[in-house]
Amino acid sequence: MNIVILAAGQGKRMKSALPKVLQTLAGKPLLQHVLTTALSLQGKSSKTGPIVVVGHGTADVKAFLTNVSNEDAAFSRVLTVLQAEQKGTGHALLQALPKIDLQEPTLVLYGDVPLTSKKTLAKLAKLADGIRGQDSALALLTQHLSDPRGYGRIVRDADGSVLKIVEEKDASPAQKAIAEINTGIMVLPSGSLKKWLKALRASNAQGEYYLTDVIAMAVKDGVPIRTAQADDEFETVGVNSRDQLANLERIHQLNIANELMTAGVSLADPARIDVRGTLECGPDVFIDVGCVFEGCVTLGAGTKIGPYCVIRNCVIAKDVAVHAFSHLDGAKVGNQSVIGPYARLRPGADLANEVHIGNFVEVKNSKIAANSKANHLAYVGDSLVGSRVNIGAGTITCNYDGVNKHQTIIEDDVFIGSDTQLVAPVRVGRGATLGAGTTLTKDAPPNQLTVSRAKQISLQWQRPIKQATKAAVKKVIARKTPKGKK
Ligand code: UD1
Ligand code: CA
């Protein structure tokens, strides 16, 4: 089956520099949602990949296609054709004609209708199939709406057969009262489509070549027209404005939340979670309010995510507690670890089991072995940390000399006192203790106390006081001191 995605329009109502089809839903451009469905529907059997008709913001759309193809080779099947001037949906489809395999039917999709399911489209394609001995039919995806304003209406005869589609701007008052609308999505026999598209005229209220006019031509040619509906209305909702985009985002997120709950995840509030990618969860995961998940995130059984966490591309194992306001990006977290509140794990943070990372601790590109702790105010970067290590408050690995990054190695059972700087490259031997306030510039030997600290002294000393205060103090002293005494 050929799949053509119409995406040349500007999307004026978005009031954006970005072409409409690149606005994002659940963190992905609208067009990417449509293409993902199109690619999975088409499989690799089809001669050509999905064809996108581009016009406004062509360079941006092409750049997006290049990027997404680098991430997922399936997208390199996507073709583009240019519609230099936007003269209507029929004119748009006409531009794709040279790339269409005329032996196969053509499915028309819209770049701004992101959530039509593969199931619905497969149903529509099946409906268009030629039944034994018959020519293939034209299949239309329609929808009954309580408020059909703005859409093309499906006009049927007394028997209920489809006669034509009338656009809102060309409709009579009686036609405007029709509740069944054209979603725009249809499957057409390609040979006839070629003939029909060439016969289109722009003699209508908008002076455009309407794709919808091919319906009356099909009726005239005796091509059967069949209609189907999507299971859910949101599948056919298009995005024209930012409020429609925000509404569709909430609908989509609520669907994702419901899928998670069906799979055994507890959500404090299904209306307050955002998944912008894929979130895989084991049983009995709990997610509190306001969390954002981006990219690929895996949460193991029994893991609990506190409120307002942002988690991107992370693998988090079983029975982990991530407390409120933590930010995890590109990290691996082992079983029964405790993260946050206010922790930051950056790419390459690789924590084994039962590691504790507390408030205002940042870990980057570091392996931390089991049972080690950094509970308060620390920076651990480019480090190898052993097991049962205690990293005191205020510890900093000084990994950057202004040009290069260097590694810090902290072996098993090390205790690092508070406010210690480890100037990398440096190694702390197994079982060593670093005294609080140490600036470590040379390796610390195993099992010894290493401390670098100025010697503590105590002096008699008068803290300076302000002149005005001095005078006031003198006065008070003068008042309180009996005469003759000093
Ligand atoms: C179209 C249908 C209408 C249907 C509605 C569903 C026509 C004439 N009308 O109307 O029956 O109810 O969709 O949402 O088809 N596009 C191009 N090139 C163009 C014009 C449009 O690529 O020259 C693309 C747009 O980028 C968009 C899609 O086609 O993705 C639909 O165009 P739009 O102008 O929004 O059509 P509607 O007026 O909404
Ligand atoms: Ca539209």
Side-chain angles (χ1 to χ4, degrees):
M1 185 169 62
N2 304 291
I3 301 180
V4 181
I5 298 160
L6 306 186
Q10 180 180 11
K12 272 190 205 131
R13 279 171 282 174
M14 281 286 173
K15 301 198 169 72
S16 172
L18 205 64
K20 180 166 73 174
V21 293
L22 296 187
Q23 301 285 343
T24 57
L25 181 89
K28 275 190 242 158
L30 297 173
L31 183 59
Q32 189 173 345
H33 288 272
V34 184
L35 285 172
T36 302
T37 313
L39 286 164
S40 81
L41 187 70
Q42 212 174 28
K44 290 193 180 102
S45 59
S46 144
K47 273 184 227 158
T48 57
I51 304 161
V52 183
V53 181
V54 294
H56 272 281
T58 298
D60 291 339
V61 175
K62 284 192 172 170
F64 151 71
L65 286 172
T66 307
N67 286 342
V68 81
S69 304
N70 289 338
E71 282 168 27
D72 180 350
F75 284 89
S76 55
R77 291 176 56 78
V78 176
L79 305 173
T80 57
V81 294
L82 180 68
Q83 184 194 24
E85 257 187 283
Q86 282 69 57
K87 296 183 186 171
T89 49
H91 180 257
L93 189 53
L94 186 66
Q95 312 310 305
L97 211 52
K99 294 218 155 83
I100 284 175
D101 175 1
L102 295 178
Q103 307 309 311
E104 294 282 327
T106 298
L107 166 66
V108 178
L109 299 175
Y110 292 74
D112 60 357
V113 181
L115 296 181
T116 322
S117 72
K118 185 182 170 186
K119 186 181 156 211
T120 296
L121 296 176
K123 179 168 81 176
L124 198 68
K126 203 149 179 247
L127 205 59
D129 268 353
I131 300 164
R132 197 193 297 272
Q134 276 190 347
D135 284 340
S136 50
L138 192 160
L140 279 178
L141 193 67
T142 73
Q143 189 77 50
H144 290 267
L145 294 181
S146 51
D147 179 11
R149 265 179 305 171
Y151 290 95
R153 309 296 206 283
I154 308 293
V155 180
R156 293 177 185 262
D157 68 10
D159 302 335
S161 305
V162 174
L163 289 178
K164 59 177 176 177
I165 295 175
V166 184
E167 290 306 299
E168 166 104 9
K169 288 190 176 135
D170 304 292
S172 67
Q175 287 167 335
K176 279 185 186 160
I178 298 170
E180 189 185 9
I181 62 99
N182 170 35
T183 66
I185 294 167
M186 54 183 90
V187 179
L188 307 115
S190 301
S192 305
L193 177 65
K194 181 176 177 181
K195 185 184 107 185
W196 298 332
L197 287 177
K198 293 197 162 156
L200 284 179
R201 293 292 168 263
S203 48
N204 51 52
Q206 301 185 80
E208 286 183 1
Y209 296 90
Y210 290 165
L211 172 58
T212 43
D213 285 350
V214 305
I215 308 305
M217 295 179 184
V219 172
K220 214 169 138 207
D221 285 356
V223 173
I225 296 172
R226 307 194 184 115
T227 57
Q229 285 75 40
D231 292 343
D232 289 292
E233 199 179 303
F234 70 81
E235 289 192 41
T236 58
V237 171
V239 172
N240 295 309
S241 58
R242 295 195 193 248
D243 69 305
Q244 285 174 340
L245 182 60
N247 283 335
L248 198 59
E249 178 81 43
R250 287 342 301 164
I251 292 169
H252 185 48
Q253 292 299 342
L254 205 53
N255 290 339
I256 295 171
N258 285 327
E259 279 168 25
L260 286 169
M261 292 189 292
T262 305
V265 176
S266 285
L267 300 178
D269 182 355
R272 282 185 288 170
I273 177 170
D274 283 82
V275 180
R276 301 172 190 157
T278 53
L279 174 60
E280 266 179 54
C281 297
D284 296 313
V285 162
F286 171 80
I287 300 171
D288 215 322
V289 299
C291 293
V292 178
F293 297 91
E294 296 179 340
C296 291
V297 175
T298 310
L299 306 178
T303 282
K304 293 187 169 38
I305 308 295
Y308 303 103
C309 291
V310 177
I311 304 184
R312 179 188 304 131
N313 295 324
C314 286
V315 178
I316 298 176
K318 291 184 205 167
D319 298 314
V320 172
V322 179
H323 295 301
F325 302 106
S326 293
H327 192 284
L328 282 63
D329 181 5
K332 250 176 88 178
V333 179
N335 295 333
Q336 289 170 284
S337 290
V338 180
I339 310 298
Y342 302 101
R344 180 164 185 215
L345 301 185
R346 290 173 52 204
D350 183 351
L351 318 184
N353 296 344
E354 294 180 61
V355 168
H356 291 197
I357 300 297
N359 41 237
F360 308 108
V361 174
E362 175 180 341
V363 180
K364 186 215 74 172
N365 186 33
S366 293
K367 250 182 127 100
I368 302 184
N371 298 94
S372 289
K373 293 176 185 167
N375 272 331
H376 336 263
L377 302 152
Y379 173 61
V380 180
D382 303 310
S383 302
L384 277 180
V385 179
S387 294
R388 298 169 302 278
V389 168
N390 194 312
I391 295 176
T395 296
I396 292 171
T397 56
C398 310
N399 60 329
Y400 186 50
D401 61 14
V403 181
N404 298 303
K405 301 272 169 73
H406 303 281
Q407 194 181 42
T408 300
I409 298 173
I410 302 169
E411 295 182 353
D412 293 346
D413 300 298
V414 163
F415 183 97
I416 298 179
S418 298
D419 194 24
T420 295
Q421 301 97 53
L422 299 113
V423 183
V426 74
R427 175 189 290 264
V428 185
R430 174 188 278 265
T433 301
L434 302 189
T438 293
T439 300
L440 195 73
T441 51
K442 290 178 286 189
D443 290 357
N447 300 316
Q448 294 186 28
L449 169 67
T450 299
V451 59
S452 82
R453 201 186 274 171
K455 207 177 178 126
Q456 181 170 326
I457 52 167
S458 301
L459 304 170
Q460 289 298 337
W461 187 63
Q462 173 60 59
R463 200 186 302 158
I465 44 176
K466 280 187 183 162
Q467 287 308 328
T469 320
K470 248 187 197 168
V473 169
K474 251 188 190 166
K475 240 188 207 167
V476 171
I477 291 171
R479 229 191 295 132
K480 283 196 176 164
T481 314
K483 270 186 191 145
K485 284 204 172 171
K486 244 210 160 168

